[in-house]
Amino acid sequence: MSLLVLPGALYLAVATAAVALGHTHPFDLPVLADRITTWAGHSVVTTGGGQVVLLVAVLAGAAATGLAAQALGSLLERLWLAADWPDWPRPARRLAARHTARRRRAWAAAARTWHRRRAGDIQALARGNPADPTARRAAERAMTRIALEEPARPTWSGDRLNAAAVRIERDQGLDLATAWPHLWLVLPEETRSEIVTARQTLTRATTLAAWSLLYLPLTVRWWPAALLACVLALTTRTRTRAAIDAYALLLEAATRLHARDLAARLGLDTAAAPLAPETADALTRYLTPTLPPPPDRSNG
């Protein structure tokens, strides 16, 4: 109801207002009431069977609109995360590669500035002089606005999720993509619930972006729909970034906290804390499926 029917019913209500009012009377409530009253007085609607059919049609239309929004939201999420951008069609792949390269150059310049500020503050403290962290923090914010780690995808959202894997591999030598399906099975129930909730929040945020796009066609008939689309788009940007940041943080935290539990389940040495690099490497190799053998030439 909350994800499909209610948003779909609101969309149908706005579409009805768009058809009834048009551009000439965009906020004329009496005109809207008269139009709806006229439609409600139709002979088909006044019968009991007609009302049942109308109710079913409205519910079905609302659910169908909600499903369309979810499908479009899934597509938008795939574009924002851009995990498979090297496999996109050639024009899109070229644009993504150019944008990724621009982001990487901008991040490298910002990262050099941050490291220079940080080194200066360390030297000042070593000399016994108080260091003003304002410039260093501003440089760090400029860097993280682009990406937390060196950009590898064309979007901030994709790089934010990828940063969790980069950090885990750098700090623990563990391949997150390989270990995560197995790690998920040994996570405590409360941890999995938190991650599922964060993932659902991300899905709702991308679905909200889809609704903003679905409201755009209504602007052809009723220009105030553009205001709704803009408000939803602005809300989507904030919610999506917050949802992806929370989801990535939980993935990284769960891996750091429970990778040793997974290694212990497999009988690996977990005496060291945090997970020793050789243990993490053994865990990754154990969890990585072997490649298929070469085909027999006699059968080719």
Side-chain angles (χ1 to χ4, degrees):
M1 287 291 292
S2 63
L3 292 178
L4 294 177
V5 178
L6 293 182
L10 177 61
Y11 182 83
L12 294 180
V14 174
T16 302
V19 172
L21 297 176
H23 294 300
T24 56
H25 306 283
F27 300 108
D28 197 335
L29 294 181
V31 171
L32 178 61
D34 291 341
R35 294 286 178 86
I36 294 177
T37 301
T38 302
W39 294 337
H42 195 278
S43 58
V44 176
V45 181
T46 55
T47 63
Q51 292 176 359
V52 171
V53 171
L54 179 61
L55 178 60
V56 172
V58 169
L59 292 177
T65 307
L67 288 174
Q70 282 195 340
L72 182 57
S74 298
L75 176 61
L76 292 175
E77 179 182 311
R78 182 177 178 181
L79 293 176
W80 280 336
L81 296 182
D84 58 345
W85 72 265
D87 298 327
W88 289 358
R90 181 174 296 180
R93 184 171 66 248
R94 287 181 176 177
L95 290 175
R98 292 174 183 174
H99 189 58
T100 303
R102 286 195 297 267
R103 297 183 70 250
R104 189 178 293 118
R105 289 192 296 268
W107 184 88
R112 284 192 294 267
T113 301
W114 175 68
H115 280 287
R116 186 171 61 252
R117 300 287 188 187
R118 183 171 177 268
D121 288 350
I122 292 175
Q123 292 176 1
L125 289 175
R127 292 192 299 265
N129 299 324
D132 185 5
T134 304
R136 172 173 52 83
R137 290 173 180 173
E140 183 179 7
R141 287 193 298 270
M143 180 184 68
T144 55
R145 274 197 300 268
I146 303 171
L148 269 68
E149 299 287 340
E150 183 178 5
R153 300 182 185 181
T155 62
W156 181 93
S157 299
D159 278 325
R160 179 64 190 93
L161 199 59
N162 185 60
V166 171
R167 291 175 170 181
I168 290 297
E169 185 173 6
R170 183 177 61 218
D171 297 344
Q172 296 188 327
L174 186 64
D175 182 43
L176 182 58
T178 300
W180 181 253
H182 311 273
L183 181 61
W184 177 259
L185 299 177
V186 302
L187 291 178
E189 184 62 33
E190 58 272 15
T191 303
R192 287 195 291 183
S193 298
E194 291 290 337
I195 295 174
V196 168
T197 300
R199 189 65 181 82
Q200 290 174 344
T201 302
L202 175 57
T203 300
R204 292 191 182 97
T206 54
T207 304
L208 188 63
W211 283 114
S212 68
L213 294 180
L214 290 177
Y215 274 101
L216 284 178
L218 300 182
T219 60
V220 177
R221 178 70 182 179
W222 191 53
W223 67 262
L227 300 178
L228 293 175
C230 290
V231 170
L232 290 176
L234 293 175
T235 304
T236 294
R237 186 178 185 275
T238 303
R239 287 190 178 182
T240 302
R241 286 205 168 197
I244 289 178
D245 187 50
Y247 183 55
L249 282 174
L250 286 176
L251 291 181
E252 184 176 348
T255 304
R256 292 182 183 275
L257 290 175
H258 298 285
R260 296 177 71 236
D261 298 340
L262 178 59
R265 289 284 189 97
L266 298 175
L268 300 177
D269 182 19
T270 57
L275 198 65
E278 56 273 12
T279 304
D281 183 65
L283 180 60
T284 299
R285 285 188 285 106
Y286 183 85
L287 298 177
T288 301
T290 58
L291 297 176
D296 190 353
R297 292 185 179 181
S298 62
N299 295 331

